[in-house]
Amino acid sequence: MSVLTPLLLRGLTGSARRLPVPRAQVHSMPPEQKLGVLELAIGLTSCMVTFLLPAGWILSHLESYKKRG
């Protein structure tokens, strides 16, 4: 590593340090209505189906994928 490398790196990153970073002012309040059992069940079921259905499809067709490649 040459003597100039740290100076070059400091010159490249120096301008990025001076840029202002906007801060988000996020304030939250408690929910106005509590979620019911049905709403929770629908939400959890849709999340599980979203993640598990593609994985199940791939696992069930794994042998056909192996034959292609």
Side-chain angles (χ1 to χ4, degrees):
M1 192 183 271
S2 73
V3 177
L4 296 176
T5 304
L7 293 173
L8 290 173
L9 291 175
R10 197 174 311 132
L12 290 174
T13 60
S15 61
R17 290 184 191 154
R18 287 181 254 135
L19 294 175
V21 178
R23 301 281 176 153
Q25 299 295 327
V26 178
H27 299 283
S28 178
M29 297 179 62
E32 293 177 5
Q33 299 175 355
K34 288 196 169 202
L35 293 177
V37 176
L38 181 63
E39 293 160 333
L40 283 173
I42 291 171
L44 289 174
T45 302
S46 63
C47 287
M48 295 300 286
V49 166
T50 302
F51 287 109
L52 294 179
L53 193 66
W57 175 269
I58 291 170
L59 288 175
S60 66
H61 294 86
L62 195 59
E63 292 299 323
S64 64
Y65 293 146
K66 286 181 182 178
K67 290 176 185 173
R68 279 193 221 167

